[in-house]
CSV table of all heavy atoms in Angstrom, one decimal:
chain,number,residue,atom,x,y,z
D,53,ALA,N,2.8,-5.4,12.8
D,53,ALA,CA,2.1,-6.3,13.7
D,53,ALA,C,1.0,-5.6,14.5
D,53,ALA,O,-0.1,-6.1,14.7
D,53,ALA,CB,3.1,-7.1,14.5
D,54,GLN,N,1.4,-4.5,15.0
D,54,GLN,CA,0.4,-3.7,15.9
D,54,GLN,C,-0.8,-3.3,15.1
D,54,GLN,O,-1.9,-3.4,15.6
D,54,GLN,CB,1.1,-2.5,16.5
D,54,GLN,CG,0.2,-1.7,17.5
D,54,GLN,CD,0.9,-0.5,18.0
D,54,GLN,OE1,2.0,-0.1,17.6
D,54,GLN,NE2,0.2,0.2,19.0
D,55,ALA,N,-0.6,-2.8,13.9
D,55,ALA,CA,-1.7,-2.4,13.1
D,55,ALA,C,-2.6,-3.6,12.7
D,55,ALA,O,-3.8,-3.5,12.7
D,55,ALA,CB,-1.2,-1.7,11.8
D,56,ALA,N,-1.9,-4.7,12.3
D,56,ALA,CA,-2.7,-5.9,12.0
D,56,ALA,C,-3.5,-6.5,13.1
D,56,ALA,O,-4.6,-6.9,13.0
D,56,ALA,CB,-1.7,-7.0,11.4
D,57,SER,N,-2.9,-6.4,14.3
D,57,SER,CA,-3.6,-6.9,15.5
D,57,SER,C,-4.8,-6.0,15.8
D,57,SER,O,-5.9,-6.5,16.2
D,57,SER,CB,-2.6,-6.8,16.7
D,57,SER,OG,-3.3,-7.1,17.9
D,58,LEU,N,-4.7,-4.7,15.6
D,58,LEU,CA,-5.8,-3.8,15.8
D,58,LEU,C,-6.9,-4.0,14.9
D,58,LEU,O,-8.1,-4.1,15.3
D,58,LEU,CB,-5.3,-2.3,15.7
D,58,LEU,CG,-6.4,-1.3,16.1
D,58,LEU,CD1,-6.6,-1.3,17.6
D,58,LEU,CD2,-5.9,0.1,15.7
D,59,ILE,N,-6.6,-4.3,13.6
D,59,ILE,CA,-7.6,-4.6,12.6
D,59,ILE,C,-8.4,-5.9,13.0
D,59,ILE,O,-9.6,-6.0,12.9
D,59,ILE,CB,-7.0,-4.8,11.2
D,59,ILE,CG1,-6.5,-3.4,10.7
D,59,ILE,CG2,-8.0,-5.4,10.3
D,59,ILE,CD1,-7.5,-2.3,10.6
D,60,GLU,N,-7.6,-6.9,13.5
D,60,GLU,CA,-8.3,-8.2,13.8
D,60,GLU,C,-9.1,-8.1,15.1
D,60,GLU,O,-9.9,-9.0,15.3
D,60,GLU,CB,-7.2,-9.3,13.9
D,60,GLU,CG,-6.6,-9.5,12.5
D,60,GLU,CD,-5.5,-10.6,12.6
D,60,GLU,OE1,-5.1,-10.9,13.7
D,60,GLU,OE2,-5.1,-11.1,11.5
D,61,ARG,N,-8.7,-7.1,15.9
D,61,ARG,CA,-9.5,-7.0,17.2
D,61,ARG,C,-10.8,-6.3,17.1
D,61,ARG,O,-11.6,-6.3,18.0
D,61,ARG,CB,-8.6,-6.3,18.3
D,61,ARG,CG,-7.5,-7.1,18.8
D,61,ARG,CD,-6.8,-6.5,20.0
D,61,ARG,NE,-7.2,-5.2,20.4
D,61,ARG,CZ,-6.3,-4.1,20.4
D,61,ARG,NH1,-5.1,-4.3,20.0
D,61,ARG,NH2,-6.7,-2.9,20.8
D,62,TRP,N,-11.1,-5.7,15.9
D,62,TRP,CA,-12.3,-5.0,15.8
D,62,TRP,C,-13.5,-5.9,16.1
D,62,TRP,O,-13.5,-7.1,15.7
D,62,TRP,CB,-12.4,-4.5,14.3
D,62,TRP,CG,-13.7,-3.7,14.1
D,62,TRP,CD1,-13.9,-2.3,14.3
D,62,TRP,CD2,-14.9,-4.2,13.6
D,62,TRP,NE1,-15.2,-2.0,14.0
D,62,TRP,CE2,-15.9,-3.1,13.5
D,62,TRP,CE3,-15.4,-5.5,13.3
D,62,TRP,CZ2,-17.1,-3.3,13.2
D,62,TRP,CZ3,-16.7,-5.6,12.9
D,62,TRP,CH2,-17.6,-4.5,12.8
D,63,PRO,N,-14.5,-5.4,16.7
D,63,PRO,CA,-14.8,-4.0,17.2
D,63,PRO,C,-14.2,-3.6,18.5
D,63,PRO,O,-14.7,-2.6,19.1
D,63,PRO,CB,-16.3,-4.0,17.2
D,63,PRO,CG,-16.7,-5.4,17.6
D,63,PRO,CD,-15.7,-6.3,17.0
D,64,ASP,N,-13.4,-4.4,19.1
D,64,ASP,CA,-12.8,-4.2,20.4
D,64,ASP,C,-11.7,-3.1,20.2
D,64,ASP,O,-10.5,-3.5,20.3
D,64,ASP,CB,-12.3,-5.4,21.1
D,64,ASP,CG,-11.7,-5.1,22.4
D,64,ASP,OD1,-12.0,-4.1,23.0
D,64,ASP,OD2,-10.9,-6.0,22.9
D,65,TRP,N,-12.0,-1.9,19.9
D,65,TRP,CA,-11.0,-0.9,19.6
D,65,TRP,C,-10.9,0.1,20.8
D,65,TRP,O,-11.9,0.3,21.5
D,65,TRP,CB,-11.4,0.0,18.4
D,65,TRP,CG,-11.0,-0.7,17.1
D,65,TRP,CD1,-10.4,-1.9,17.0
D,65,TRP,CD2,-11.1,-0.2,15.8
D,65,TRP,NE1,-10.2,-2.2,15.7
D,65,TRP,CE2,-10.6,-1.2,14.9
D,65,TRP,CE3,-11.7,1.0,15.3
D,65,TRP,CZ2,-10.6,-0.9,13.5
D,65,TRP,CZ3,-11.7,1.2,13.9
D,65,TRP,CH2,-11.1,0.2,13.0
D,66,PRO,N,-9.7,0.7,21.0
D,66,PRO,CA,-9.5,1.6,22.1
D,66,PRO,C,-10.2,3.0,21.9
D,66,PRO,O,-10.4,3.8,22.8
D,66,PRO,CB,-8.0,1.8,22.2
D,66,PRO,CG,-7.6,1.5,20.8
D,66,PRO,CD,-8.5,0.5,20.3
D,67,SER,N,-10.7,3.2,20.7
D,67,SER,CA,-11.3,4.5,20.3
D,67,SER,C,-12.3,4.3,19.1
D,67,SER,O,-12.0,3.4,18.3
D,67,SER,CB,-10.3,5.6,20.0
D,67,SER,OG,-10.9,6.7,19.4
D,68,PRO,N,-13.3,5.0,19.0
D,68,PRO,CA,-14.2,4.9,17.9
D,68,PRO,C,-13.5,5.2,16.5
D,68,PRO,O,-13.9,4.8,15.5
D,68,PRO,CB,-15.4,5.9,18.1
D,68,PRO,CG,-15.3,6.1,19.6
D,68,PRO,CD,-13.9,6.0,20.0
D,69,VAL,N,-12.5,6.0,16.6
D,69,VAL,CA,-11.7,6.5,15.5
D,69,VAL,C,-10.3,6.0,15.5
D,69,VAL,O,-9.6,6.2,16.5
D,69,VAL,CB,-11.7,8.0,15.3
D,69,VAL,CG1,-11.0,8.5,14.1
D,69,VAL,CG2,-13.1,8.6,15.3
D,70,VAL,N,-9.9,5.3,14.5
D,70,VAL,CA,-8.5,4.8,14.4
D,70,VAL,C,-7.8,5.3,13.2
D,70,VAL,O,-8.4,5.4,12.1
D,70,VAL,CB,-8.5,3.2,14.4
D,70,VAL,CG1,-7.1,2.7,14.0
D,70,VAL,CG2,-8.9,2.7,15.8
D,71,VAL,N,-6.6,5.7,13.3
D,71,VAL,CA,-5.8,6.2,12.2
D,71,VAL,C,-4.6,5.3,12.0
D,71,VAL,O,-3.8,5.0,12.9
D,71,VAL,CB,-5.2,7.7,12.5
D,71,VAL,CG1,-4.4,8.1,11.3
D,71,VAL,CG2,-6.4,8.6,12.7
D,72,LEU,N,-4.4,4.8,10.8
D,72,LEU,CA,-3.2,4.0,10.4
D,72,LEU,C,-2.4,5.0,9.6
D,72,LEU,O,-2.7,5.4,8.6
D,72,LEU,CB,-3.6,2.8,9.6
D,72,LEU,CG,-4.5,1.7,10.1
D,72,LEU,CD1,-4.6,0.5,9.2
D,72,LEU,CD2,-3.9,1.2,11.5
D,73,ALA,N,-1.2,5.2,10.2
D,73,ALA,CA,-0.3,6.2,9.6
D,73,ALA,C,1.0,5.5,9.1
D,73,ALA,O,1.6,4.7,9.8
D,73,ALA,CB,0.1,7.3,10.5
D,74,GLY,N,1.4,5.8,7.9
D,74,GLY,CA,2.6,5.2,7.3
D,74,GLY,C,2.9,5.7,6.0
D,74,GLY,O,2.1,6.3,5.3
D,75,PRO,N,4.2,5.5,5.5
D,75,PRO,CA,4.6,6.0,4.2
D,75,PRO,C,3.8,5.3,3.0
D,75,PRO,O,3.2,4.2,3.2
D,75,PRO,CB,6.1,5.7,4.1
D,75,PRO,CG,6.2,4.5,5.0
D,75,PRO,CD,5.2,4.8,6.1
D,76,PRO,N,3.8,5.9,1.8
D,76,PRO,CA,3.2,5.3,0.7
D,76,PRO,C,3.7,3.9,0.5
D,76,PRO,O,4.9,3.6,0.6
D,76,PRO,CB,3.6,6.2,-0.5
D,76,PRO,CG,3.8,7.5,0.1
D,76,PRO,CD,4.4,7.2,1.5
D,77,GLY,N,2.9,3.0,0.2
D,77,GLY,CA,3.3,1.6,-0.1
D,77,GLY,C,3.6,0.7,1.1
D,77,GLY,O,4.1,-0.3,1.0
D,78,SER,N,3.2,1.3,2.3
D,78,SER,CA,3.5,0.6,3.5
D,78,SER,C,2.5,-0.5,3.9
D,78,SER,O,2.7,-1.2,4.9
D,78,SER,CB,3.7,1.5,4.7
D,78,SER,OG,2.5,2.3,4.9
D,79,GLY,N,1.4,-0.6,3.1
D,79,GLY,CA,0.4,-1.6,3.4
D,79,GLY,C,-0.8,-1.2,4.1
D,79,GLY,O,-1.7,-2.0,4.5
D,80,LYS,N,-1.0,0.2,4.2
D,80,LYS,CA,-2.2,0.7,4.8
D,80,LYS,C,-3.5,0.3,4.1
D,80,LYS,O,-4.4,-0.1,4.7
D,80,LYS,CB,-2.1,2.2,4.9
D,80,LYS,CG,-0.9,2.8,5.6
D,80,LYS,CD,-0.9,4.3,5.7
D,80,LYS,CE,-1.0,5.0,4.3
D,80,LYS,NZ,0.2,4.9,3.5
D,81,THR,N,-3.4,0.4,2.8
D,81,THR,CA,-4.6,0.0,2.0
D,81,THR,C,-5.0,-1.4,2.2
D,81,THR,O,-6.2,-1.8,2.3
D,81,THR,CB,-4.4,0.4,0.5
D,81,THR,OG1,-4.3,1.8,0.4
D,81,THR,CG2,-5.6,0.0,-0.3
D,82,HIS,N,-4.0,-2.3,2.2
D,82,HIS,CA,-4.2,-3.7,2.4
D,82,HIS,C,-4.9,-4.0,3.7
D,82,HIS,O,-6.0,-4.7,3.7
D,82,HIS,CB,-2.9,-4.5,2.3
D,82,HIS,CG,-3.1,-6.0,2.2
D,82,HIS,ND1,-2.1,-6.8,1.7
D,82,HIS,CD2,-4.2,-6.8,2.5
D,82,HIS,CE1,-2.6,-8.1,1.7
D,82,HIS,NE2,-3.8,-8.1,2.2
D,83,LEU,N,-4.4,-3.4,4.8
D,83,LEU,CA,-5.1,-3.5,6.1
D,83,LEU,C,-6.5,-2.9,6.1
D,83,LEU,O,-7.4,-3.5,6.6
D,83,LEU,CB,-4.2,-2.9,7.1
D,83,LEU,CG,-2.9,-3.6,7.5
D,83,LEU,CD1,-1.9,-2.7,8.3
D,83,LEU,CD2,-3.2,-4.8,8.3
D,84,ALA,N,-6.6,-1.8,5.4
D,84,ALA,CA,-7.9,-1.1,5.4
D,84,ALA,C,-8.9,-2.0,4.6
D,84,ALA,O,-10.1,-2.1,5.0
D,84,ALA,CB,-7.8,0.2,4.7
D,85,ARG,N,-8.5,-2.6,3.5
D,85,ARG,CA,-9.4,-3.5,2.8
D,85,ARG,C,-9.8,-4.7,3.6
D,85,ARG,O,-11.0,-5.2,3.5
D,85,ARG,CB,-8.8,-3.9,1.5
D,85,ARG,CG,-8.5,-2.8,0.5
D,85,ARG,CD,-9.7,-2.3,-0.2
D,85,ARG,NE,-9.4,-1.3,-1.2
D,85,ARG,CZ,-9.1,-1.5,-2.4
D,85,ARG,NH1,-9.0,-2.8,-2.9
D,85,ARG,NH2,-8.8,-0.5,-3.2
D,86,ILE,N,-8.9,-5.3,4.3
D,86,ILE,CA,-9.3,-6.4,5.2
D,86,ILE,C,-10.3,-6.0,6.2
D,86,ILE,O,-11.3,-6.7,6.5
D,86,ILE,CB,-8.0,-6.9,5.9
D,86,ILE,CG1,-7.0,-7.6,4.9
D,86,ILE,CG2,-8.4,-8.0,7.0
D,86,ILE,CD1,-5.7,-7.9,5.5
D,87,TRP,N,-10.1,-4.8,6.8
D,87,TRP,CA,-11.1,-4.3,7.8
D,87,TRP,C,-12.4,-4.0,7.2
D,87,TRP,O,-13.5,-4.3,7.7
D,87,TRP,CB,-10.5,-3.1,8.5
D,87,TRP,CG,-11.5,-2.5,9.5
D,87,TRP,CD1,-11.7,-3.0,10.8
D,87,TRP,CD2,-12.3,-1.4,9.4
D,87,TRP,NE1,-12.7,-2.2,11.4
D,87,TRP,CE2,-13.1,-1.3,10.5
D,87,TRP,CE3,-12.5,-0.5,8.3
D,87,TRP,CZ2,-14.0,-0.2,10.7
D,87,TRP,CZ3,-13.5,0.5,8.5
D,87,TRP,CH2,-14.2,0.6,9.7
D,88,GLN,N,-12.4,-3.4,6.0
D,88,GLN,CA,-13.6,-3.1,5.3
D,88,GLN,C,-14.5,-4.3,5.1
D,88,GLN,O,-15.7,-4.3,5.3
D,88,GLN,CB,-13.3,-2.4,3.9
D,88,GLN,CG,-14.5,-2.1,3.1
D,88,GLN,CD,-14.2,-1.9,1.6
D,88,GLN,OE1,-13.0,-1.8,1.2
D,88,GLN,NE2,-15.2,-2.0,0.8
D,89,GLU,N,-13.8,-5.4,4.6
D,89,GLU,CA,-14.6,-6.6,4.4
D,89,GLU,C,-15.1,-7.2,5.8
D,89,GLU,O,-16.3,-7.7,5.9
D,89,GLU,CB,-13.7,-7.6,3.7
D,89,GLU,CG,-14.5,-8.9,3.4
D,89,GLU,CD,-13.6,-9.9,2.5
D,89,GLU,OE1,-12.6,-9.4,2.0
D,89,GLU,OE2,-14.0,-11.0,2.4
D,90,ARG,N,-14.3,-7.2,6.8
D,90,ARG,CA,-14.6,-7.7,8.1
D,90,ARG,C,-15.8,-6.9,8.7
D,90,ARG,O,-16.7,-7.5,9.3
D,90,ARG,CB,-13.4,-7.7,9.0
D,90,ARG,CG,-13.7,-8.1,10.5
D,90,ARG,CD,-12.4,-7.9,11.3
D,90,ARG,NE,-11.4,-8.8,11.0
D,90,ARG,CZ,-11.2,-9.9,11.7
D,90,ARG,NH1,-11.9,-10.2,12.7
D,90,ARG,NH2,-10.2,-10.7,11.4
D,91,ALA,N,-15.7,-5.6,8.6
D,91,ALA,CA,-16.7,-4.7,9.3
D,91,ALA,C,-17.9,-4.3,8.4
D,91,ALA,O,-18.8,-3.7,8.9
D,91,ALA,CB,-16.0,-3.4,9.8
D,92,HIS,N,-17.8,-4.7,7.1
D,92,HIS,CA,-18.8,-4.3,6.1
D,92,HIS,C,-18.9,-2.8,6.1
D,92,HIS,O,-20.0,-2.2,6.2
D,92,HIS,CB,-20.2,-4.9,6.4
D,92,HIS,CG,-20.1,-6.4,6.4
D,92,HIS,ND1,-20.0,-7.2,5.3
D,92,HIS,CD2,-20.3,-7.3,7.5
D,92,HIS,CE1,-20.0,-8.5,5.6
D,92,HIS,NE2,-20.2,-8.6,6.9
D,93,ALA,N,-17.8,-2.1,6.1
D,93,ALA,CA,-17.7,-0.7,6.2
D,93,ALA,C,-18.0,0.0,4.9
D,93,ALA,O,-17.8,-0.5,3.8
D,93,ALA,CB,-16.3,-0.3,6.7
D,94,VAL,N,-18.5,1.2,5.0
D,94,VAL,CA,-18.8,2.1,3.9
D,94,VAL,C,-17.5,2.9,3.5
D,94,VAL,O,-16.9,3.5,4.4
D,94,VAL,CB,-19.9,3.1,4.2
D,94,VAL,CG1,-20.1,4.0,3.0
D,94,VAL,CG2,-21.2,2.4,4.5
D,95,VAL,N,-17.1,2.8,2.3
D,95,VAL,CA,-15.9,3.5,1.8
D,95,VAL,C,-16.3,4.9,1.4
D,95,VAL,O,-17.2,5.1,0.6
D,95,VAL,CB,-15.2,2.8,0.6
D,95,VAL,CG1,-14.0,3.6,0.2
D,95,VAL,CG2,-14.8,1.4,1.0
D,96,ILE,N,-15.7,5.9,2.0
D,96,ILE,CA,-16.0,7.3,1.8
D,96,ILE,C,-15.0,8.1,1.0
D,96,ILE,O,-13.8,8.0,1.4
D,96,ILE,CB,-16.3,8.0,3.2
D,96,ILE,CG1,-17.6,7.4,3.8
D,96,ILE,CG2,-16.5,9.5,3.0
D,96,ILE,CD1,-17.9,8.0,5.2
D,97,ASP,N,-15.4,8.7,0.0
D,97,ASP,CA,-14.5,9.6,-0.8
D,97,ASP,C,-14.1,10.8,0.1
D,97,ASP,O,-14.9,11.6,0.6
D,97,ASP,CB,-15.2,10.1,-2.0
D,97,ASP,CG,-14.3,10.9,-2.9
D,97,ASP,OD1,-13.2,11.4,-2.5
D,97,ASP,OD2,-14.7,11.2,-4.1
D,98,PRO,N,-12.7,11.0,0.3
D,98,PRO,CA,-12.3,12.1,1.2
D,98,PRO,C,-12.7,13.4,0.7
D,98,PRO,O,-12.8,14.4,1.4
D,98,PRO,CB,-10.8,11.9,1.3
D,98,PRO,CG,-10.5,11.1,0.1
D,98,PRO,CD,-11.6,10.2,-0.1
D,99,ALA,N,-13.0,13.6,-0.6
D,99,ALA,CA,-13.4,14.8,-1.2
D,99,ALA,C,-14.9,15.1,-1.1
D,99,ALA,O,-15.3,16.2,-1.4
D,99,ALA,CB,-12.9,14.9,-2.6
D,100,ARG,N,-15.7,14.0,-0.7
D,100,ARG,CA,-17.1,14.2,-0.6
D,100,ARG,C,-17.7,13.6,0.6
D,100,ARG,O,-18.7,12.8,0.6
D,100,ARG,CB,-17.7,13.5,-1.9
D,100,ARG,CG,-17.3,14.0,-3.2
D,100,ARG,CD,-17.8,13.2,-4.4
D,100,ARG,NE,-19.2,13.1,-4.3
D,100,ARG,CZ,-19.9,12.2,-5.1
D,100,ARG,NH1,-19.3,11.4,-5.8
D,100,ARG,NH2,-21.2,12.2,-5.0
D,101,ILE,N,-17.0,13.9,1.7
D,101,ILE,CA,-17.4,13.2,3.0
D,101,ILE,C,-18.9,13.6,3.3
D,101,ILE,O,-19.7,12.7,3.7
D,101,ILE,CB,-16.5,13.7,4.2
D,101,ILE,CG1,-15.1,13.2,3.9
D,101,ILE,CG2,-17.0,13.2,5.5
D,101,ILE,CD1,-14.1,13.8,4.9
D,102,GLY,N,-19.3,14.8,3.1
D,102,GLY,CA,-20.7,15.2,3.5
D,102,GLY,C,-21.7,14.4,2.8
D,102,GLY,O,-22.9,14.3,3.3
D,103,ASP,N,-21.5,13.9,1.6
D,103,ASP,CA,-22.5,13.2,0.8
D,103,ASP,C,-22.8,11.9,1.4
D,103,ASP,O,-23.9,11.3,1.1
D,103,ASP,CB,-22.0,13.0,-0.6
D,103,ASP,CG,-21.8,14.2,-1.4
D,103,ASP,OD1,-22.3,15.3,-0.9
D,103,ASP,OD2,-21.1,14.2,-2.5
D,104,HIS,N,-22.0,11.3,2.3
D,104,HIS,CA,-22.2,10.0,2.8
D,104,HIS,C,-22.8,10.0,4.2
D,104,HIS,O,-23.2,9.0,4.7
D,104,HIS,CB,-20.8,9.3,2.9
D,104,HIS,CG,-20.2,9.0,1.5
D,104,HIS,ND1,-20.4,7.9,0.8
D,104,HIS,CD2,-19.4,9.8,0.8
D,104,HIS,CE1,-19.7,8.0,-0.3
D,104,HIS,NE2,-19.1,9.1,-0.3
D,105,ILE,N,-22.7,11.1,4.9
D,105,ILE,CA,-23.1,11.1,6.3
D,105,ILE,C,-24.5,10.8,6.6
D,105,ILE,O,-24.9,9.9,7.4
D,105,ILE,CB,-22.7,12.5,7.0
D,105,ILE,CG1,-21.2,12.7,6.9
D,105,ILE,CG2,-23.3,12.6,8.4
D,105,ILE,CD1,-20.8,14.0,7.4
D,106,ALA,N,-25.4,11.4,5.8
D,106,ALA,CA,-26.9,11.2,6.1
D,106,ALA,C,-27.3,9.7,6.0
D,106,ALA,O,-28.1,9.3,6.8
D,106,ALA,CB,-27.7,12.0,5.1
D,107,GLY,N,-26.8,9.0,5.0
D,107,GLY,CA,-27.1,7.6,4.8
D,107,GLY,C,-26.3,6.6,5.5
D,107,GLY,O,-26.5,5.4,5.3
D,108,LEU,N,-25.4,7.0,6.4
D,108,LEU,CA,-24.4,6.1,7.0
D,108,LEU,C,-25.1,5.2,8.0
D,108,LEU,O,-24.8,4.0,8.1
D,108,LEU,CB,-23.2,6.9,7.6
D,108,LEU,CG,-22.1,6.1,8.1
D,108,LEU,CD1,-21.5,5.2,7.0
D,108,LEU,CD2,-21.0,6.9,8.8
D,109,GLY,N,-25.9,5.8,8.8
D,109,GLY,CA,-26.6,5.1,9.9
D,109,GLY,C,-25.6,4.6,10.9
D,109,GLY,O,-24.6,5.4,11.3
D,110,SER,N,-25.6,3.3,11.3
D,110,SER,CA,-24.7,2.8,12.3
D,110,SER,C,-23.6,2.0,11.7
D,110,SER,O,-22.8,1.3,12.4
D,110,SER,CB,-25.5,1.9,13.3
D,110,SER,OG,-26.1,0.8,12.6
Side-chain angles (χ1 to χ4, degrees):
Q54 184 182 6
S57 174
L58 188 69
I59 293 299
E60 292 179 347
R61 286 193 349 244
W62 182 88
D64 181 22
W65 276 4
S67 169
V69 181
V70 167
V71 180
L72 296 185
S78 61
K80 302 185 301 294
T81 294
H82 192 157
L83 287 163
R85 294 286 183 87
I86 293 171
W87 179 78
Q88 176 198 345
E89 183 175 348
R90 175 187 289 262
H92 303 289
V94 176
V95 180
I96 293 180
D97 182 346
R100 301 173 55 195
I101 296 175
D103 294 348
H104 297 267
I105 294 176
L108 185 61
S110 60

